[in-house]
Amino acid sequence: MAMRKNESKAPFPQGIDEEKFDKLSQLAEMGKLLAETAHELSQPLAGIKAFTQMLRKRYDDDDFLGPKLRLIEKQARHMEAILDSVKTYSHGLRTVTESCAPREVIESAMLLLRNKATKARVEMELRVPAELPTVEIPEHKLQQVLLNLMNNAIEAMKGSEGSKLVVEASESGKDFRLAVADTGPGIPGEVANRVFEPFFTTKKDGSGLGLAICKRIARQAGGDLRLLGQGECSSRFGERFRTALELSLPLERDAS
Ligand SMILES: Nc1ncnc2c1ncn2[C@@H]1O[C@H](COP(=O)(O)OP(=O)(O)O)[C@@H](O)[C@H]1O
Ligand SMILES: [Mg+2]
């Protein structure tokens, strides 16, 4: 069977292309701005409401002032409710600003999967330089991506002799790179083109969501996740390695 080369097809959920993705990113930025504006506006509004209440209590019986002050107070409460709902809504759109030290995440992921790897007769190897930069992604998200990649690798190699999984971290220009490579059967071209699709799985009990979620996490953090071509994979990790996925993340921005 002729295998297609890994075309790097836009790995977004169905119906979303790069252009739409950029639009969504802009919307997320606007959401953040909106949340900040809502927060800024609630301060002066609280002042307006407090003083109106004070005046209303004093002039409640005044035929002229009473009704007007009650109305101002009501309008202020209404504005408060609007701002609250904006704050709640845009909370989920907040962009990532947390960062973490990747070495600890890598070591804990290896510890978490040690039993599973031993049972599957998979040897794990760490290729990580002594010094690693801080990366802009929340620790639990980096762990989630790494565990997914390592789990997939172990599952692909289950039971075969001399199986090996390599976790490699490196720094390249403005990026931090984290790759997980394995000596499993590899991914045929027609499967390779679909691995990032939500619900795409070749496993009997798979969810097909692992890599789709990992890709989204990577993109949300301003990075990406890609499947290396088989040639690239073997020349980089050794000829027995047929599959490698690589996460790239921006290095922590200078505090400004
Ligand atoms: N290391 C790997 N080796 C071989 N195939 C893989 C590997 N990682 C992912 N795949 C393929 O990608 C598919 C999608 O993976 P994923 O999104 O994690 O979902 P799931 O693991 O539930 O199937 C898998 O079903 C498998 O066919
Ligand atoms: Mg999986």
Side-chain angles (χ1 to χ4, degrees):
M1 184 177 59
M3 262 193 218
R4 260 181 295 153
K5 270 221 172 119
N6 293 342
E7 301 154 15
S8 52
K9 212 175 102 187
F12 303 104
Q14 263 169 356
I16 295 189
D17 55 23
E18 192 136 15
E19 204 181 309
K20 266 194 197 149
F21 190 89
D22 286 342
K23 281 250 160 62
L24 287 173
S25 307
Q26 279 174 14
L27 279 176
E29 271 307 305
M30 279 174 62
K32 198 180 153 201
L33 191 69
L34 197 61
E36 282 165 7
T37 312
H39 182 77
E40 292 298 309
L41 287 177
S42 12
Q43 318 281 331
L45 180 61
I48 292 173
K49 205 179 101 183
F51 281 103
T52 312
Q53 269 170 347
M54 218 171 79
L55 287 170
R56 201 250 311 144
K57 275 178 195 149
R58 179 137 179 197
Y59 297 104
D60 216 13
D61 298 335
D62 187 298
D63 286 347
F64 179 72
L65 288 176
K68 291 171 183 66
L69 289 169
R70 281 195 289 276
L71 191 67
I72 297 175
E73 198 189 330
K74 196 178 161 194
Q75 296 302 306
R77 272 205 304 270
H78 189 185
M79 279 175 75
E80 216 174 25
I82 294 173
L83 293 179
D84 276 341
S85 62
V86 168
K87 281 190 269 181
T88 312
Y89 176 69
S90 46
H91 188 80
L93 297 170
R94 243 191 318 191
T95 43
V96 178
T97 48
E98 266 176 80
S99 56
C100 71
R103 176 179 286 277
E104 287 162 32
V105 179
I106 296 168
E107 279 167 3
S108 64
M110 289 189 104
L111 206 62
L112 283 168
L113 290 180
R114 205 168 53 188
N115 274 338
K116 184 169 174 162
T118 310
K119 269 191 207 143
R121 301 226 216 156
V122 170
E123 184 198 335
M124 293 197 280
E125 188 192 315
L126 197 58
R127 296 185 190 168
V128 178
E131 295 269 314
L132 272 183
T134 308
V135 289
E136 267 200 54
I137 187 170
E139 187 175 285
H140 69 278
K141 299 257 169 166
L142 183 59
Q143 167 152 329
Q144 192 182 350
V145 173
L146 189 55
L147 287 177
N148 263 297
L149 300 183
M150 291 173 75
N151 260 316
N152 277 347
I154 295 171
E155 279 159 19
M157 294 186 287
K158 219 172 256 172
S160 29
E161 284 301 314
S163 293
K164 199 157 175 181
L165 181 162
V166 167
V167 177
E168 185 205 72
S170 59
E171 202 179 320
S172 142
K174 284 192 215 141
D175 280 348
F176 164 74
R177 304 255 161 100
L178 184 63
V180 175
D182 68 70
T183 59
I187 307 184
E190 63 271 23
V191 174
N193 287 331
R194 304 191 59 193
V195 290
F196 296 112
E197 266 178 37
F199 305 111
F200 174 81
T201 182
T202 56
K203 297 169 194 170
K204 201 168 74 234
D205 51 0
S207 71
L209 284 173
L211 292 181
I213 290 171
C214 290
K215 181 98 187 170
R216 213 182 63 202
I217 291 175
R219 292 239 164 196
Q220 273 172 350
D224 205 357
L225 176 68
R226 70 181 185 113
L227 176 67
L228 265 53
Q230 293 198 0
E232 189 183 358
C233 178
S234 351
S235 62
R236 202 164 121 187
F237 295 95
E239 55 173 320
R240 290 175 50 231
F241 289 86
R242 279 180 288 265
T243 313
L245 280 111
E246 184 176 65
L247 171 72
S248 56
L249 292 171
L251 297 180
E252 195 179 27
R253 265 175 267 143
D254 297 333
S256 55

